[in-house]
Amino acid sequence: MAGTPGTSPADQAREAAVEAALGKLDLDAKARLLSGQDVWSLPALPEIGLRSLVMSDGPIGVRGVRWGADDPSIALPSPTALAATWDPELARRAGVLLAQEARRKGVHVLLAPTVNLHRSPLGGRHFEAYSEDPYLTGAIGAGYVSGVQSGGVGTTVKHFVANDAETDRLTVNNLVGERALRELYLAPFEMIVENARPWGIMTAYNTVNGTTMTEHHHLVNEVLRGEWGFDGYNVSDWTAARSTVADIEGGLDVAMPGPQTVYGAPLAQAVRDGRVEETTVDTAVRNVLRLAARVGALESVEPAVTEPPRTVDGEALAREIARRAFVLVRNENNALPLKPGTVALIGAAAREARVLGGGSATVFPSRIVSPLDGLTAALPEGSLSYAVGADPDTELAVADKGFELRAVCRDADGTVIGTRGASGGQIQWTDSDFPDGVTHTNLHTIELTGTFTPSAAGTHTFGIKGTGSFTLTVDGTTHYDDIQRPADDGDPFDAFFGGPAPHAQPELTAGEPVEVSLTHVVDLPEDAPFKVVTFALAHQEPQRDADELIAEAVEAARGADTAVVVVATTERVESEGFDRKNLDLPGRQDELVRAVAAANPNTVVVVNSGSPVELPWRDEVAAVLLSWFPGQEGGAALADVLTGAYEPGGRLPTTWGSLADAPVTQVVPEDGELPYTEDLFIGYRAWEKAGRTPSYPFGHGLGYTDWTYESVEIDGTTAKVRVRNSGQRAGREVVQVYLARSEAGPDRPARWLAGFAAVEAGPGESAEAVVELPRRAFEVWDEATDSWSLVKGSYEIQVSRSITDRRLTATINV
Ligand code: BGC
């Protein structure tokens, strides 16, 4: 029923408690509740027994209110990896683990999942969203939301809607046709609302068809709440709320972060001035109180979940998801699994694994298993060698190995007012998280101070990430004493996501510690929208000659039975706040792969990226395994799969191809507008329409066994597919069902994903995959009547291993 919360006795009890609490609040308290009290939380209202509601990013872990390595979190594989499992039940289990993490960290609401679509491969936050297909995105997202909420923790499905790229993300006006909006971009949100009843939604920074999303009365009040019956809370993306009246009337319940927002005192004033009805404020407060009641932050009533699920082993789950997500896109002559023999492991990312994407999705795991760690543990002693080959990271990284640092806070007189250990060189403190005795009024400087013991002799580079006034001293010499200025695109998160600048290049001796100090003058204006101190000491090891490194790797490859090259993107390539300029692997990694492949025909390439990159050498190597950002246990999972202890389970959730062939590449607005001119045709829909062949199609992925598709039987709108494991070992197969239409009718893609199901079978055994085909797969959005319309007639059912690998067909008439 549209707009009404659940009707079970427990739901009714919570609704009654919400009404009772609302009735006790005066206008000022109500307006205050809708405005962040700091970066991550809402104010407590003790007079109604309401605790402070705490939110946290998401999606691969729960960071908590502390933003640093001193409060670690389990880091699961990237969302693209989760989608590559094509397994909503595994997504649900990921959610259960995240609820457990949230409870451990005192978090009530997770700011996840991200269900925007992979409209263009250039989207910078691609790794953080699931897929180019709305159905797959909705199915994985619904699994994730059910899992988190089964643990009594809220979710915030984001970013509603059409936040599919990052360029000018705060202001871009995305012009999206009504059918594309309904059939593509809104579809995952709708599916999740229908199947998993999320307790929250986040409205995006961007504008859609002329109205900024935090003020979008039509899409929020009429579509999301009215048509779909969403009864959760609606929070702005961080700093996205810009107008008191338009936001509250557009259905925005909560403006984050605080303390300076357009709600709170300005909202109470708007009611007093007669510009906003108090009943409109009441509606928003009700939504927040309902959330509080569900998560157990409203004392007067039982939460939605009284018995949290059984404890989950986070490390084991991270490892399981990673190996289930790895997509084996090429495996000539069964190069994988590895045969007994020697292995030359090559690549900077094999040692310094890139396990997660950058930006607000960052969490800090307590350990990272690199491919080198994983393979060292799994392979017989003496059979593994390692060479860097080529380092894609030309930039300095946050100071880490060899550093012993602490943070010292001083007031304006230079008196020490507090200290805190700093396990890495990064400071990212909100004002609710300053060391004891430190407040944003008495804090004047923070000094990161301690020692660095080099492991290698040579020219070390030191630098600074962040904006404002800094003094950098290494080994008694002051190398920098000046102001670093922000980039001028106005993104409030530049200071978090911008790159470090190099400032000192001393010659150091291996094993001899030197003193390092970085002092930052903290400047937190009273009227800053949110109060976070963020900066980092950055460092880079002495750089070796690049030709020499490649030559060394080639030698190692030549002498081994198998060469395993790990190639990767960097944080400059895949993060938040900017889009990608190309799909190239950074640095000299393509050259490295070609040189190694020429020296050893048995070369296996592991691609460590969250989203598509070009693989120009793909036909010159024996095997290509896409590992995504594999999470903290990625190296262990990689060893599981390379050795054959497990098969790689993933199928592509997004088409991989070259940028020159990619059909949708426009992500840069012109005059503030980004027209989605491709309309209904993104991802595989667009590749097929353009008649272009990608490197690897949507749905593709090999395991370690073979499958024969024996029969398909249609029963109503259910497809029953019998498949047989015709290979030598047990395996898991994802049976995909696409629909195609040959009769005249509304414009539709050549085929589209209608459903999928996975089966497991031992060698020689058969299994039946039962795939339900939802009514929506046969419908289109009718712009004339503003409603869904069933397109009657005959459809071909294509039972496939990928969009292009069709195994069986049948016909269905609706
Ligand atoms: C991101 C959101 C995130 C928020 C809080 C924003 O920049 O777009 O996804 O939840 O920051 O970190």
Side-chain angles (χ1 to χ4, degrees):
M1 254 206 316
T4 48
T7 45
S8 70
D11 285 328
Q12 285 170 4
R14 277 193 297 278
E15 282 310 297
V18 164
E19 286 309 318
L22 175 66
K24 289 186 200 142
L25 294 177
D26 65 20
L27 174 63
D28 293 307
K30 287 190 261 193
R32 208 147 43 84
L33 178 60
L34 304 182
S35 177
Q37 66 176 353
D38 56 27
V39 182
W40 303 118
S41 68
L42 297 182
L45 298 177
E47 64 269 34
I48 54 166
L50 175 68
R51 285 191 283 270
S52 166
L53 275 163
V54 179
M55 308 165 195
S56 171
D57 293 304
I60 59 143
V62 184
R63 199 174 49 242
V65 295
R66 307 273 291 264
W67 192 313
D70 51 354
D71 185 20
S73 317
I74 295 285
L76 297 177
S78 56
T80 38
L82 193 60
T85 69
W86 290 58
D87 189 347
E89 169 56 19
L90 194 53
R92 193 195 61 78
R93 287 172 55 209
V96 172
L97 179 262
L98 294 172
Q100 175 181 307
E101 286 281 277
R103 284 173 171 265
R104 180 173 70 79
K105 292 193 162 209
V107 167
H108 301 105
V109 193
L110 199 55
L111 302 171
T114 303
V115 302
N116 299 116
L117 295 185
H118 296 166
R119 171 178 171 263
S120 162
L122 293 175
R125 259 177 119 172
H126 211 296
F127 68 89
E128 202 188 312
Y130 293 128
S131 161
E132 67 190 17
D133 182 78
Y135 181 77
L136 179 59
T137 300
I140 297 293
Y144 179 104
V145 166
S146 323
V148 175
Q149 293 185 175
S150 74
V153 170
T155 54
T156 313
V157 189
K158 67 188 188 184
H159 309 86
F160 188 74
V161 58
N163 183 181
D164 310 299
E166 291 293 284
T167 307
D168 297 343
R169 63 177 175 158
L170 306 186
T171 52
V172 60
N173 180 13
N174 293 323
L175 302 177
V176 195
E178 200 57 32
R179 269 195 72 191
L181 199 54
R182 291 287 187 159
E183 294 178 25
L184 297 177
Y185 302 102
L186 288 170
F189 289 95
E190 182 180 10
M191 211 172 140
I192 294 169
V193 169
E194 181 171 339
N195 297 310
R197 298 185 58 106
W199 299 345
I201 209 112
M202 182 188 289
T203 31
Y205 288 122
N206 52 274
T207 291
V208 172
N209 298 333
T211 307
T212 196
M213 278 312 305
T214 49
E215 301 170 13
H216 219 300
H217 172 76
H218 169 58
L219 289 178
V220 172
N221 288 333
E222 294 178 356
V223 175
L224 171 71
R225 291 196 187 278
E227 283 178 33
W228 304 347
F230 170 72
D231 66 8
Y233 87 119
N234 165 17
V235 63
S236 69
D237 200 342
W238 265 224
T239 72
R242 283 161 280 210
S243 158
T244 303
V245 176
D247 281 330
I248 197 80
E249 287 184 347
L252 182 76
D253 302 322
V254 173
M256 287 297 284
Q260 302 290 336
T261 77
V262 295
Y263 286 177
L267 180 58
Q269 193 57 46
V271 174
R272 291 198 172 97
D273 294 348
R275 287 177 290 135
V276 168
E277 296 285 342
E278 188 161 351
T279 52
T280 311
V281 175
D282 287 349
T283 303
V285 171
R286 221 174 252 125
N287 293 333
V288 175
L289 291 176
R290 184 177 304 122
L291 171 70
R294 284 170 162 164
V295 300
L298 190 61
E299 277 161 16
S300 52
V301 68
E302 259 195 4
V305 175
T306 44
E307 302 257 333
R310 262 190 317 133
T311 309
V312 180
D313 177 342
E315 288 175 4
L317 183 63
R319 182 168 175 169
E320 180 183 347
I321 296 173
R323 64 184 177 236
R324 289 279 311 281
F326 292 162
V327 184
L328 182 60
V329 289
R330 176 181 171 87
N331 195 20
E332 290 302 286
N333 305 318
N334 295 325
L336 289 179
L338 296 172
K339 318 276 175 302
T342 52
V343 174
L345 180 64
I346 295 164
R351 192 176 53 191
E352 304 297 330
R354 188 151 146 70
V355 300
L356 44 82
S360 61
T362 305
V363 295
F364 300 85
S366 60
R367 70 168 203 174
I368 286 177
V369 183
S370 69
L372 181 56
D373 300 331
L375 284 172
T376 303
L379 295 178
E381 221 176 303
S383 62
L384 182 71
S385 66
Y386 172 73
V388 174
D391 190 347
D393 226 338
T394 49
E395 273 190 356
L396 288 72
V398 170
D400 180 15
K401 290 204 179 78
F403 286 85
E404 297 273 336
L405 298 169
R406 67 203 171 96
V408 179
C409 303
R410 296 190 175 83
D411 65 15
D413 302 327
T415 306
V416 174
I417 50 174
T419 58
R420 180 178 283 171
S423 44
Q426 180 139 3
I427 297 289
Q428 212 136 236
W429 296 348
T430 65
D431 63 348
S432 49
D433 177 36
F434 285 158
D436 288 344
V438 180
T439 65
H440 75 266
T441 32
N442 68 5
L443 178 60
H444 181 59
T445 63
I446 301 174
E447 182 187 10
L448 265 173
T449 172
T451 57
F452 171 59
T453 310
S455 58
T459 311
H460 285 253
T461 309
F462 293 81
I464 305 165
K465 180 173 162 171
T467 55
S469 164
F470 293 98
T471 308
L472 172 65
T473 305
V474 182
D475 201 14
T477 306
T478 297
H479 293 268
Y480 185 83
D481 186 9
D482 208 338
I483 292 175
Q484 288 203 154
R485 312 222 170 258
D488 55 13
D489 65 358
D491 193 307
F493 293 95
D494 262 347
F496 294 77
F497 311 145
H503 292 302
Q505 292 210 303
E507 294 291 321
L508 301 180
T509 311
E512 278 188 19
V514 291
E515 301 281 324
V516 290
S517 155
L518 176 65
T519 301
H520 174 51
V521 180
V522 178
D523 181 18
L524 284 176
E526 258 321 304
D527 62 348
F530 54 98
K531 297 203 168 56
V532 181
V533 185
T534 174
F535 68 95
L537 173 65
H539 170 254
Q540 190 181 39
E541 294 285 330
Q543 296 294 285
R544 299 250 331 262
D545 178 76
D547 292 329
E548 239 175 60
L549 288 176
I550 292 182
E552 212 172 83
V554 167
E555 272 322 297
R558 192 168 281 132
D561 295 314
T562 306
V564 175
V565 189
V566 182
V567 292
T569 57
T570 68
E571 198 163 346
R572 286 297 104 220
V573 177
E574 291 184 83
S575 186
E576 184 175 329
F578 53 86
D579 287 314
R580 295 168 71 186
K581 302 209 165 34
N582 56 53
L583 304 184
D584 300 343
L585 281 167
R588 294 176 64 180
Q589 298 184 96
D590 286 335
E591 205 184 315
L592 171 71
V593 173
R594 285 207 150 108
V596 168
N600 188 331
N602 209 18
T603 292
V604 173
V605 183
V606 177
V607 184
N608 177 193
S609 71
S611 42
V613 289
E614 290 188 9
L615 312 170
W617 33 256
R618 62 186 184 281
D619 295 334
E620 298 161 34
V621 300
V624 180
L625 181 74
L626 312 182
S627 74
W628 312 106
F629 293 141
Q632 64 173 65
E633 304 298 315
L638 184 66
D640 288 343
V641 163
L642 293 183
T643 58
Y646 291 86
E647 69 171 352
R651 305 290 185 267
L652 284 180
T654 275
T655 311
W656 277 48
S658 71
L659 184 60
D661 290 334
V664 183
T665 55
Q666 181 60 281
V667 291
V668 177
E670 275 172 35
D671 298 326
E673 292 185 344
L674 184 64
Y676 283 26
T677 48
E678 71 287 343
D679 203 30
L680 297 172
F681 299 93
I682 63 168
Y684 63 80
R685 293 161 159 84
W687 284 86
E688 293 212 310
K689 184 165 195 243
R692 296 184 197 153
T693 308
S695 314
Y696 299 109
F698 179 80
H700 174 63
L702 308 166
Y704 287 157
T705 187
D706 295 317
W707 296 88
T708 311
Y709 280 60
E710 293 186 338
S711 63
V712 52
E713 189 195 315
I714 307 298
D715 179 3
T717 49
T718 303
K720 295 183 179 160
V721 182
R722 185 143 291 276
V723 294
R724 185 173 300 277
N725 181 344
S726 51
Q728 304 300 316
R729 54 178 283 167
R732 182 173 190 276
E733 176 72 340
V734 179
V735 174
Q736 304 163 33
V737 176
Y738 298 87
L739 290 185
R741 227 182 109 79
S742 50
E743 293 170 19
D747 204 12
R748 295 216 74 171
R751 72 205 90 245
W752 60 95
L753 182 70
F756 59 90
V759 292
E760 290 179 6
E765 285 172 13
S766 83
E768 186 179 71
V770 178
V771 183
E772 304 293 342
L773 305 174
R775 180 185 165 97
R776 186 52 58 78
F778 302 92
E779 291 179 327
V780 296
W781 183 255
D782 183 348
E783 294 181 14
T785 59
D786 241 4
S787 62
W788 291 100
S789 145
L790 186 71
V791 182
K792 294 212 165 85
S794 159
Y795 291 79
E796 187 176 58
I797 304 244
Q798 303 180 346
V799 182
S800 310
R801 296 206 73 233
S802 78
I803 185 126
T804 53
D805 186 358
R806 204 161 312 139
R807 297 299 178 94
L808 299 166
T809 56
T811 303
I812 188 169
N813 289 297
V814 293

